[in-house]
Amino acid sequence: VIGATINKTGLLKVKATKVGENTTLMQIVHLVEEAQASNAPVQKFADRIVGYFVPAVFATAGIAFTFWLFLRGFPDAFLVLLAILLIACPCALGIATPTAILAGVGKGAENGVLLRGGEYVENARKLTTVVFDKTGTLTKGEPSVTDIIAFEGYKENRILELAAVTEKGSEHPLAEAVVKAANKARLSVIDVDSFESIPGQGVKASFEGQQILIGNRKLMRANVIDIEHAENKLAKLEEQGKTAMLLAVDGRVVGIIAVMDMPKDNAAEAISQLKHMGLHVAMLTGDNERTAKAIANQLGIDLVIANVLPWEKVNVIKNLQDQGKIVAMVGDGVNDAPALAQANIGIAIGSGTDVAKETGGIVLIKDDLRDVPRGITLSKATMRKIKQNLFWAFIYNTVS
C-alpha cells in the first residue's frame, strides 16, 4: 500500500514497514537537501578566484583609503573605503554555484528526477556514452514463457513441470516466469531434494532420483552435455529476442523453454532522444549475444555487450572509461550497484532496489526511461547556468 492511497470500500488492514525518517518521502527529502547543500567541482575554481580577489579588494580599499585620507580627510576616505568593500566584494562569485544547484535540484525534484550532488551535475556535460542494464531497466522485468520444445520423447507439460520444480528455489525473474507458467497450467510444483544456483549459468537440482539442470550453454558445457541437436531451435528462438533455456535430465538435453521479457513502452523513445543528444548508447546484459541484439534492434541500440556475468559489469564500465569515454550507467538491481558506483554518473531507476538507488548519482523516481535524457538535459542546463553566473559575477566585480 503506497502512501496517500485511499481505501474507498471494504476493510483494509495495513502494516507499516517504514515510518518517519525511513519513509520514501523522507528519503527523497533528504536526498534533495544533501544535493542542494553540495558543491560542484567548478565551485573550487570560483573559490580560488575569490581567494585572490578578496585580498586584492582589501588592498585596493586600503590604498584608496590612505590616498583620500591625506587628500580630503577621514570622512571622505571612510566613505571611499566602504564603497570599494561593498561594491567590489565578490559575493556573487561565492553564491553563483550554490544558487544554480539549488534551483536545478529543486526543478528536478518537481519532475521526478533527483540530482544527488554538484559533482554529477558537472559530469553530465562531459558524457559521451550511456550504458543500460537490460532486464528490469530496458525491459519490464516481467518475463513470460512463450515456447516449450520437447526432445527425447518427453511431453511439453513434463518439460515445463521439471523446469518449474527445478527453478522453484530461484529468485531470478526467468525462474519466476517458469514457475508462474507451471502454476497456470495447474502442474505439480513440489520441492526438489537438492538445489544449487549457479550465477550467470542457471540452476542444478536433484529430483526423483534424477539430476536436472536448466540454464544456458555455459551450464551445459560446464557439465559436458551435448547440445548439438538443440542448437538450431535454440538459435531461432534467440533471433526472435527470446531467452532460451536448455533443460537437461541425467546428462541429456530433453527440452528448451523460451522466455520473453518485453521492452518498456518508452524505452525506444528514450534511446532515440539520447542519440539525438549526440550520445552513444550501449546495452549490458548477461543474455547471449543473439538474444541481446534482437532486443537492441527493437530499441535502436548500436552497441551490445552480452554474456556479462553480474560481477563483470563493473569491469565493462572500467574498460569503457579506459578508452577515454565518460560513462553514465543506468540500472535497477543489486548487481548493478558496483557499475553504478564506477560510472562517472550512476542513474538508478526508482522502481529498483534500495542499494541501486543509494549508489546512483541521479535517481529517477518514476519508472520512465525518458527521465534519463531529461536528467542529463537538466544537469547540463544547471551547469550552463553556473557558468553564466560566474561569468557575469566576475565581469561585475572586475568593472566595479
Side-chain angles (χ1 to χ4, degrees), residues 170-254:
S170 174
E171 295 181 354
H172 196 282
L174 300 183
E176 292 177 4
V178 172
V179 174
K180 188 185 293 183
N183 289 331
K184 188 175 181 180
R186 297 183 178 179
L187 300 176
S188 176
V189 184
I190 59 179
D191 293 333
V192 293
D193 302 320
S194 67
F195 173 85
E196 181 186 355
S197 177
I198 305 167
Q201 295 185 21
V203 296
K204 182 188 296 186
S206 175
F207 177 66
E208 294 181 348
Q210 298 174 307
Q211 291 298 317
I212 305 173
L213 290 87
I214 180 166
N216 56 24
R217 291 177 179 85
K218 289 181 183 178
L219 181 64
M220 300 301 146
R221 291 193 193 108
N223 288 273
V224 198
I225 296 175
D226 181 31
I227 62 170
E228 190 66 31
H229 65 287
E231 190 60 52
N232 286 339
K233 292 188 180 296
L234 203 61
K236 286 180 181 178
L237 292 169
E238 290 168 347
E239 285 168 2
Q240 297 169 25
K242 298 171 182 177
T243 300
M245 297 174 284
L246 294 156
L247 178 72
V249 177
D250 291 334
R252 295 178 299 119
V253 172
V254 298

XYZ file of all heavy atoms in Angstrom, residues 170-254:
642
model
N 14.770 -20.610 -7.052
C 15.498 -19.450 -7.568
C 14.647 -18.186 -7.489
O 13.427 -18.242 -7.614
C 15.912 -19.705 -9.017
O 16.497 -18.551 -9.587
N 15.324 -17.044 -7.304
C 14.618 -15.756 -7.262
C 14.774 -14.984 -8.566
O 14.342 -13.834 -8.667
C 15.149 -14.913 -6.098
C 14.855 -15.505 -4.730
C 15.375 -14.654 -3.593
O 16.062 -13.660 -3.877
O 15.100 -14.979 -2.427
N 15.418 -15.598 -9.557
C 15.641 -14.922 -10.839
C 14.298 -14.701 -11.548
O 13.415 -15.559 -11.490
C 16.557 -15.777 -11.714
C 17.135 -15.020 -12.866
N 16.419 -14.745 -14.014
C 18.364 -14.475 -13.052
C 17.178 -14.068 -14.859
N 18.366 -13.892 -14.303
N 14.126 -13.540 -12.230
C 12.867 -13.267 -12.944
C 12.495 -14.355 -13.945
O 11.313 -14.658 -14.134
C 13.143 -11.937 -13.656
C 14.187 -11.268 -12.820
C 15.034 -12.370 -12.280
N 13.489 -14.950 -14.604
C 13.192 -16.016 -15.566
C 12.636 -17.244 -14.857
O 11.732 -17.919 -15.369
C 14.452 -16.392 -16.352
C 15.105 -15.279 -17.181
C 16.285 -15.827 -17.960
C 14.100 -14.636 -18.134
N 13.172 -17.531 -13.673
C 12.682 -18.668 -12.882
C 11.242 -18.430 -12.459
O 10.398 -19.338 -12.513
C 13.574 -18.867 -11.660
N 10.952 -17.207 -12.042
C 9.582 -16.865 -11.635
C 8.611 -17.048 -12.795
O 7.471 -17.483 -12.601
C 9.546 -15.431 -11.113
C 10.304 -15.238 -9.795
C 10.311 -13.788 -9.353
O 9.672 -12.954 -10.023
O 10.963 -13.493 -8.335
N 9.064 -16.713 -14.006
C 8.208 -16.860 -15.184
C 7.881 -18.330 -15.441
O 6.741 -18.683 -15.781
C 8.899 -16.251 -16.406
N 8.872 -19.202 -15.266
C 8.666 -20.640 -15.483
C 7.693 -21.201 -14.452
O 6.759 -21.940 -14.782
C 10.013 -21.396 -15.424
C 9.786 -22.907 -15.441
C 10.900 -20.984 -16.596
N 7.896 -20.843 -13.185
C 7.024 -21.336 -12.112
C 5.596 -20.825 -12.309
O 4.619 -21.561 -12.134
C 7.570 -20.910 -10.731
C 6.593 -21.288 -9.620
C 8.927 -21.561 -10.474
N 5.477 -19.569 -12.708
C 4.151 -18.992 -12.947
C 3.428 -19.726 -14.076
O 2.227 -20.011 -13.986
C 4.287 -17.502 -13.301
C 2.963 -16.764 -13.382
C 3.152 -15.327 -13.859
C 3.907 -14.491 -12.849
N 4.016 -13.073 -13.283
N 4.168 -20.066 -15.135
C 3.560 -20.797 -16.265
C 3.100 -22.182 -15.831
O 2.038 -22.662 -16.251
C 4.572 -20.900 -17.405
N 3.903 -22.839 -14.974
C 3.526 -24.174 -14.492
C 2.281 -24.109 -13.612
O 1.392 -24.961 -13.707
C 4.688 -24.788 -13.717
N 2.220 -23.101 -12.752
C 1.035 -22.932 -11.896
C -0.210 -22.654 -12.734
O -1.296 -23.152 -12.432
C 1.270 -21.792 -10.900
C 2.276 -22.171 -9.820
O 2.398 -23.339 -9.461
N 2.984 -21.187 -9.289
N -0.026 -21.849 -13.781
C -1.153 -21.531 -14.661
C -1.663 -22.789 -15.371
O -2.867 -22.945 -15.617
C -0.710 -20.478 -15.690
C -1.842 -19.929 -16.527
C -1.343 -18.800 -17.443
C -2.480 -18.235 -18.276
N -2.015 -17.139 -19.171
N -0.718 -23.696 -15.690
C -1.098 -24.953 -16.352
C -1.552 -26.007 -15.341
O -1.834 -27.142 -15.721
C 0.092 -25.482 -17.154
N -1.597 -25.614 -14.061
C -2.024 -26.490 -12.974
C -1.159 -27.757 -12.869
O -1.655 -28.855 -12.641
C -3.508 -26.861 -13.127
C -4.415 -25.648 -13.046
C -5.873 -26.028 -13.114
N -6.724 -24.848 -12.986
C -8.044 -24.877 -13.031
N -8.682 -26.041 -13.195
N -8.746 -23.764 -12.904
N 0.137 -27.556 -13.034
C 1.090 -28.646 -12.877
C 1.574 -28.700 -11.437
O 1.528 -27.703 -10.712
C 2.283 -28.454 -13.821
C 1.948 -28.409 -15.318
C 3.188 -28.109 -16.130
C 1.323 -29.723 -15.768
N 2.057 -29.838 -11.034
C 2.531 -30.014 -9.660
C 3.944 -29.450 -9.527
O 4.876 -29.936 -10.176
C 2.531 -31.501 -9.303
O 3.062 -31.701 -8.014
N 4.093 -28.423 -8.707
C 5.406 -27.797 -8.492
C 5.823 -28.078 -7.050
O 5.539 -27.302 -6.140
C 5.363 -26.273 -8.769
C 6.761 -25.682 -8.635
C 4.799 -26.000 -10.157
N 6.481 -29.210 -6.849
C 6.857 -29.618 -5.497
C 8.336 -29.340 -5.250
O 9.084 -28.986 -6.171
C 6.546 -31.113 -5.269
C 7.308 -31.979 -6.286
C 5.047 -31.369 -5.386
C 7.082 -33.463 -6.106
N 8.767 -29.524 -4.016
C 10.152 -29.247 -3.652
C 11.090 -30.325 -4.188
O 10.743 -31.509 -4.249
C 10.307 -29.173 -2.129
C 9.577 -27.970 -1.550
O 9.418 -26.981 -2.283
O 9.167 -28.029 -0.373
N 12.302 -29.906 -4.528
C 13.328 -30.840 -5.002
C 14.129 -31.363 -3.812
O 14.050 -30.832 -2.703
C 14.267 -30.155 -6.016
C 13.517 -29.809 -7.286
C 14.895 -28.904 -5.413
N 14.929 -32.395 -4.053
C 15.743 -32.971 -2.981
C 16.954 -32.100 -2.669
O 17.379 -31.985 -1.517
C 16.205 -34.382 -3.378
C 15.017 -35.299 -3.666
O 14.021 -35.210 -2.916
O 15.077 -36.080 -4.628
N 17.537 -31.493 -3.703
C 18.668 -30.572 -3.511
C 18.614 -29.497 -4.582
O 18.043 -29.703 -5.663
C 20.005 -31.329 -3.582
O 20.228 -31.824 -4.892
N 19.211 -28.344 -4.288
C 19.130 -27.212 -5.213
C 20.426 -26.413 -5.144
O 20.970 -26.171 -4.071
C 17.945 -26.312 -4.848
C 17.881 -25.030 -5.634
C 17.274 -25.002 -6.883
C 18.449 -23.866 -5.143
C 17.230 -23.823 -7.618
C 18.411 -22.684 -5.871
C 17.792 -22.671 -7.107
N 20.901 -25.978 -6.314
C 22.094 -25.122 -6.366
C 21.929 -24.106 -7.490
O 21.641 -24.467 -8.634
C 23.351 -25.961 -6.613
C 24.621 -25.122 -6.663
C 25.846 -25.941 -7.064
O 25.727 -27.169 -7.218
O 26.917 -25.323 -7.234
N 22.106 -22.841 -7.147
C 22.051 -21.774 -8.147
C 23.474 -21.454 -8.600
O 24.374 -21.289 -7.772
C 21.395 -20.523 -7.557
O 21.412 -19.478 -8.499
N 23.668 -21.368 -9.905
C 24.990 -21.071 -10.466
C 24.891 -19.736 -11.203
O 24.359 -19.678 -12.317
C 25.439 -22.194 -11.426
C 25.389 -23.544 -10.695
C 26.846 -21.926 -11.952
C 25.499 -24.734 -11.603
N 25.343 -18.631 -10.572
C 25.188 -17.298 -11.167
C 25.736 -17.212 -12.579
O 26.823 -17.708 -12.870
C 25.999 -16.399 -10.207
C 26.003 -17.139 -8.907
C 26.039 -18.586 -9.285
N 24.939 -16.619 -13.452
C 25.350 -16.422 -14.835
C 25.200 -17.652 -15.713
O 25.502 -17.601 -16.907
N 24.734 -18.775 -15.144
C 24.609 -20.001 -15.926
C 23.231 -20.643 -15.802
O 22.615 -20.978 -16.810
C 25.683 -21.015 -15.490
C 27.102 -20.548 -15.783
C 28.134 -21.607 -15.471
O 27.838 -22.802 -15.408
N 29.370 -21.175 -15.268
N 22.736 -20.826 -14.580
C 21.435 -21.461 -14.393
C 21.340 -22.117 -13.033
O 21.945 -21.646 -12.070
N 20.585 -23.205 -12.947
C 20.408 -23.900 -11.671
C 20.542 -25.400 -11.867
O 20.375 -25.931 -12.967
C 19.031 -23.587 -11.028
C 18.909 -22.112 -10.671
C 17.889 -24.006 -11.943
N 20.847 -26.074 -10.761
C 21.030 -27.519 -10.756
C 20.220 -28.076 -9.587
O 20.209 -27.500 -8.503
C 22.516 -27.837 -10.580
C 22.866 -29.311 -10.610
C 24.335 -29.522 -10.224
C 25.265 -28.886 -11.230
N 26.691 -29.228 -10.915
N 19.531 -29.210 -9.809
C 18.721 -29.792 -8.741
C 18.675 -31.311 -8.862
O 18.935 -31.880 -9.936
C 17.302 -29.224 -8.779
N 18.325 -31.938 -7.755
C 18.105 -33.381 -7.728
C 16.627 -33.605 -7.438
O 16.084 -33.074 -6.460
C 18.979 -34.017 -6.645
O 18.706 -35.394 -6.532
N 15.954 -34.396 -8.293
C 14.514 -34.577 -8.162
C 14.117 -35.986 -8.613
O 14.425 -36.398 -9.739
C 13.788 -33.513 -9.001
C 12.298 -33.634 -9.005
C 11.561 -33.424 -7.843
C 11.620 -33.970 -10.172
C 10.174 -33.537 -7.857
C 10.234 -34.074 -10.191
C 9.516 -33.863 -9.022
N 13.470 -36.708 -7.727
C 13.004 -38.070 -8.011
C 14.130 -38.956 -8.544
O 13.970 -39.714 -9.511
C 11.836 -38.037 -9.006
C 10.581 -37.382 -8.437
C 9.422 -37.376 -9.424
O 9.662 -37.665 -10.622
O 8.290 -37.079 -8.998
N 15.313 -38.795 -7.938
C 16.466 -39.605 -8.325
C 17.138 -39.171 -9.605
O 18.069 -39.837 -10.089
N 16.693 -38.056 -10.182
C 17.281 -37.555 -11.424
C 18.061 -36.266 -11.173
O 17.682 -35.454 -10.326
C 16.191 -37.281 -12.466
C 15.401 -38.513 -12.883
C 14.243 -38.139 -13.796
O 13.440 -37.274 -13.455
N 14.150 -38.795 -14.949
N 19.155 -36.064 -11.919
C 19.907 -34.813 -11.865
C 19.404 -33.893 -12.978
O 19.490 -34.248 -14.164
C 21.407 -35.076 -12.043
C 22.054 -35.813 -10.880
C 21.974 -35.006 -9.583
O 22.205 -33.797 -9.566
N 21.618 -35.691 -8.495
N 18.830 -32.757 -12.582
C 18.225 -31.845 -13.560
C 19.006 -30.532 -13.598
O 19.337 -29.960 -12.552
C 16.753 -31.554 -13.210
C 15.969 -32.873 -13.071
C 16.109 -30.677 -14.270
C 14.564 -32.694 -12.569
N 19.273 -30.069 -14.808
C 19.913 -28.768 -14.998
C 19.051 -27.935 -15.935
O 18.515 -28.462 -16.920
C 21.304 -28.910 -15.620
C 22.416 -29.521 -14.763
C 22.413 -31.025 -14.892
C 23.761 -28.961 -15.179
N 18.925 -26.667 -15.640
C 18.254 -25.754 -16.565
C 19.041 -24.453 -16.595
O 19.356 -23.866 -15.559
C 16.769 -25.513 -16.177
C 16.121 -24.554 -17.192
C 16.623 -24.989 -14.762
C 14.605 -24.509 -17.120
N 19.416 -24.045 -17.804
C 20.232 -22.841 -17.925
C 20.714 -22.635 -19.343
O 20.121 -23.140 -20.305
N 21.820 -21.911 -19.476
C 22.328 -21.557 -20.805
C 23.417 -22.513 -21.284
O 23.702 -23.530 -20.657
C 22.839 -20.110 -20.798
C 23.903 -19.896 -19.718
O 24.577 -20.835 -19.292
N 24.045 -18.652 -19.283
N 24.023 -22.181 -22.392
C 25.060 -23.029 -22.986
C 26.234 -23.229 -22.028
O 26.837 -24.305 -21.985
C 25.560 -22.402 -24.290
C 24.544 -22.417 -25.427
C 25.131 -21.695 -26.637
N 24.229 -21.681 -27.784
C 23.271 -20.790 -27.964
N 23.044 -19.866 -27.040
N 22.505 -20.818 -29.053
N 26.580 -22.167 -21.290
C 27.714 -22.265 -20.365
C 27.500 -23.380 -19.352
O 28.425 -24.125 -19.023
C 27.907 -20.937 -19.616
C 28.448 -19.803 -20.464
C 28.625 -18.557 -19.607
C 29.105 -17.387 -20.434
N 29.223 -16.154 -19.599
N 26.270 -23.482 -18.843
C 25.963 -24.516 -17.851
C 26.114 -25.903 -18.466
O 26.654 -26.826 -17.828
C 24.545 -24.323 -17.319
C 24.085 -25.313 -16.241
C 24.921 -25.152 -14.979
C 22.606 -25.119 -15.918
N 25.635 -26.048 -19.702
C 25.720 -27.348 -20.354
C 27.170 -27.725 -20.646
O 27.588 -28.869 -20.443
C 24.899 -27.353 -21.657
C 23.410 -27.068 -21.439
S 22.624 -28.276 -20.324
C 21.412 -27.240 -19.479
N 27.940 -26.758 -21.130
C 29.350 -27.049 -21.416
C 30.105 -27.400 -20.146
O 30.968 -28.291 -20.153
C 29.998 -25.834 -22.081
C 29.488 -25.552 -23.491
C 30.363 -24.557 -24.224
N 29.702 -24.066 -25.424
C 29.206 -22.840 -25.558
N 29.296 -21.984 -24.554
N 28.626 -22.465 -26.677
N 29.805 -26.670 -19.051
C 30.487 -26.922 -17.789
C 30.220 -28.340 -17.284
O 31.039 -28.915 -16.558
C 30.061 -25.899 -16.744
N 29.065 -28.907 -17.685
C 28.701 -30.257 -17.247
C 28.861 -31.287 -18.371
O 28.349 -32.395 -18.267
C 27.266 -30.255 -16.719
C 27.141 -29.546 -15.385
O 27.315 -30.140 -14.335
N 26.855 -28.242 -15.430
N 29.592 -30.873 -19.425
C 29.915 -31.754 -20.560
C 28.651 -32.420 -21.118
O 28.566 -33.643 -21.274
C 30.955 -32.835 -20.156
C 31.599 -33.423 -21.415
C 32.024 -32.279 -19.252
N 27.653 -31.588 -21.444
C 26.394 -32.090 -22.009
C 26.292 -31.627 -23.464
O 26.446 -30.437 -23.762
C 25.177 -31.585 -21.198
C 25.237 -32.144 -19.768
C 23.876 -31.986 -21.871
C 24.165 -31.610 -18.847
N 26.045 -32.549 -24.371
C 25.953 -32.252 -25.804
C 24.639 -31.524 -26.107
O 23.561 -31.965 -25.707
C 26.019 -33.559 -26.592
C 25.950 -33.310 -28.098
O 26.422 -32.258 -28.534
O 25.402 -34.175 -28.819
N 24.754 -30.380 -26.810
C 23.552 -29.597 -27.148
C 23.379 -29.473 -28.663
O 22.563 -28.675 -29.136
C 23.600 -28.185 -26.513
C 24.798 -27.388 -27.055
C 23.655 -28.276 -24.994
C 24.776 -25.925 -26.664
N 24.136 -30.259 -29.435
C 24.152 -30.127 -30.888
C 22.750 -30.268 -31.486
O 22.343 -29.489 -32.362
C 25.079 -31.196 -31.482
C 25.359 -31.014 -32.970
C 26.166 -29.761 -33.288
O 26.990 -29.344 -32.444
O 25.936 -29.187 -34.361
N 21.963 -31.250 -31.015
C 20.642 -31.499 -31.604
C 19.633 -30.392 -31.280
O 18.586 -30.295 -31.918
C 20.096 -32.848 -31.110
C 19.820 -32.890 -29.633
N 20.821 -32.932 -28.690
C 18.642 -32.889 -28.946
C 20.283 -32.967 -27.482
N 18.962 -32.950 -27.611
N 19.964 -29.542 -30.306
C 19.047 -28.464 -29.913
C 19.474 -27.095 -30.439
O 18.719 -26.123 -30.335
C 18.955 -28.402 -28.385
N 20.654 -27.028 -31.042
C 21.243 -25.735 -31.402
C 20.405 -24.953 -32.409
O 20.234 -23.736 -32.279
C 22.659 -25.951 -31.942
C 23.459 -24.669 -32.132
C 23.646 -23.879 -30.844
O 24.094 -24.459 -29.839
O 23.301 -22.674 -30.853
N 19.870 -25.612 -33.441
C 19.097 -24.895 -34.464
C 17.858 -24.231 -33.881
O 17.565 -23.059 -34.156
C 18.692 -25.857 -35.591
C 19.860 -26.206 -36.493
O 20.847 -25.474 -36.536
N 19.758 -27.323 -37.200
N 17.100 -24.974 -33.082
C 15.888 -24.410 -32.473
C 16.257 -23.316 -31.475
O 15.556 -22.306 -31.350
C 15.079 -25.517 -31.789
C 14.475 -26.522 -32.768
C 13.538 -27.486 -32.091
C 12.955 -28.487 -33.092
N 12.122 -27.872 -34.122
N 17.356 -23.519 -30.768
C 17.837 -22.532 -29.806
C 18.143 -21.213 -30.513
O 17.736 -20.129 -30.071
C 19.098 -23.081 -29.131
C 19.500 -22.542 -27.762
C 18.436 -22.809 -26.720
C 20.819 -23.180 -27.328
N 18.842 -21.304 -31.638
C 19.229 -20.106 -32.395
C 18.008 -19.365 -32.925
O 17.949 -18.126 -32.890
C 20.151 -20.500 -33.542
N 17.002 -20.102 -33.433
C 15.797 -19.450 -33.964
C 15.054 -18.679 -32.890
O 14.568 -17.562 -33.119
C 14.876 -20.508 -34.583
C 15.367 -21.050 -35.916
C 14.412 -22.090 -36.477
C 14.930 -22.654 -37.795
N 14.039 -23.711 -38.334
N 14.954 -19.246 -31.700
C 14.280 -18.559 -30.588
C 15.043 -17.297 -30.190
O 14.447 -16.250 -29.935
C 14.164 -19.505 -29.382
C 13.207 -20.698 -29.557
C 13.393 -21.690 -28.425
C 11.757 -20.222 -29.600
N 16.368 -17.383 -30.159
C 17.191 -16.240 -29.760
C 17.131 -15.117 -30.787
O 17.181 -13.937 -30.436
C 18.630 -16.705 -29.545
C 18.786 -17.573 -28.299
C 20.128 -18.272 -28.215
O 20.862 -18.284 -29.230
O 20.440 -18.807 -27.138
N 17.012 -15.480 -32.059
C 16.891 -14.462 -33.115
C 15.600 -13.660 -32.978
O 15.488 -12.548 -33.481
C 16.945 -15.136 -34.486
C 18.353 -15.579 -34.870
C 18.369 -16.494 -36.081
O 17.269 -16.749 -36.639
O 19.460 -16.939 -36.464
N 14.615 -14.228 -32.291
C 13.349 -13.530 -32.040
C 13.402 -12.677 -30.770
O 12.401 -12.106 -30.363
C 12.217 -14.566 -31.921
C 11.977 -15.371 -33.179
C 11.054 -16.562 -32.941
O 10.243 -16.565 -32.024
N 11.174 -17.585 -33.779
N 14.564 -12.623 -30.135
C 14.706 -11.826 -28.924
C 14.284 -12.545 -27.669
O 14.117 -11.931 -26.608
N 14.124 -13.852 -27.751
C 13.699 -14.642 -26.595
C 14.916 -15.237 -25.880
O 15.926 -15.539 -26.517
C 12.753 -15.771 -27.030
C 11.469 -15.254 -27.675
C 10.650 -16.376 -28.287
C 9.397 -15.824 -28.974
N 8.612 -16.872 -29.644
N 14.799 -15.371 -24.566
C 15.838 -16.034 -23.791
C 15.484 -17.513 -23.709
O 14.464 -17.878 -23.123
C 15.935 -15.441 -22.374
O 16.249 -14.046 -22.475
C 17.023 -16.132 -21.564
N 16.317 -18.352 -24.316
C 16.033 -19.790 -24.376
C 16.886 -20.530 -23.355
O 18.096 -20.354 -23.298
C 16.307 -20.323 -25.775
N 16.221 -21.351 -22.540
C 16.908 -22.124 -21.501
C 16.849 -23.606 -21.841
O 15.783 -24.127 -22.209
C 16.251 -21.870 -20.142
C 16.350 -20.438 -19.679
S 15.425 -20.144 -18.160
C 13.744 -20.118 -18.800
N 17.967 -24.249 -21.724
C 18.066 -25.684 -22.003
C 17.763 -26.473 -20.741
O 18.233 -26.124 -19.650
C 19.471 -26.026 -22.492
C 19.862 -25.424 -23.845
C 21.365 -25.315 -23.969
C 19.293 -26.269 -24.980
N 16.981 -27.538 -20.876
C 16.665 -28.416 -19.750
C 17.329 -29.770 -20.000
O 17.090 -30.412 -21.032
C 15.153 -28.599 -19.611
C 14.701 -29.549 -18.490
C 14.907 -28.908 -17.126
C 13.246 -29.954 -18.661
N 18.175 -30.182 -19.058
C 18.875 -31.458 -19.190
C 18.513 -32.362 -18.019
O 18.436 -31.908 -16.873
C 20.378 -31.228 -19.228
N 18.286 -33.626 -18.315
C 17.990 -34.630 -17.294
C 19.020 -35.751 -17.419
O 19.159 -36.362 -18.497
C 16.563 -35.202 -17.459
C 16.312 -36.295 -16.427
C 15.523 -34.091 -17.315
N 19.740 -35.988 -16.330
C 20.763 -37.045 -16.303
C 21.721 -36.965 -17.497
O 22.000 -37.963 -18.182
C 20.104 -38.434 -16.259
C 19.412 -38.683 -14.912
O 19.841 -38.075 -13.902
O 18.456 -39.473 -14.882
N 22.174 -35.746 -17.768
C 23.207 -35.565 -18.792
C 22.718 -35.485 -20.219
O 23.522 -35.454 -21.157
N 21.393 -35.433 -20.449
C 20.852 -35.320 -21.800
C 19.899 -34.129 -21.884
O 19.061 -33.946 -21.010
C 20.091 -36.594 -22.197
C 20.965 -37.850 -22.305
C 20.137 -39.081 -22.647
N 19.134 -39.363 -21.628
C 17.823 -39.387 -21.849
N 17.354 -39.117 -23.044
N 16.992 -39.663 -20.883
N 20.043 -33.322 -22.943
C 19.127 -32.195 -23.159
C 17.794 -32.749 -23.640
O 17.724 -33.395 -24.699
C 19.694 -31.197 -24.184
C 18.639 -30.137 -24.529
C 20.939 -30.514 -23.635
N 16.730 -32.503 -22.869
C 15.412 -33.060 -23.210
C 14.395 -31.982 -23.585
O 13.275 -32.307 -23.987
C 14.861 -33.896 -22.033
C 15.788 -35.072 -21.737
C 14.656 -33.032 -20.785
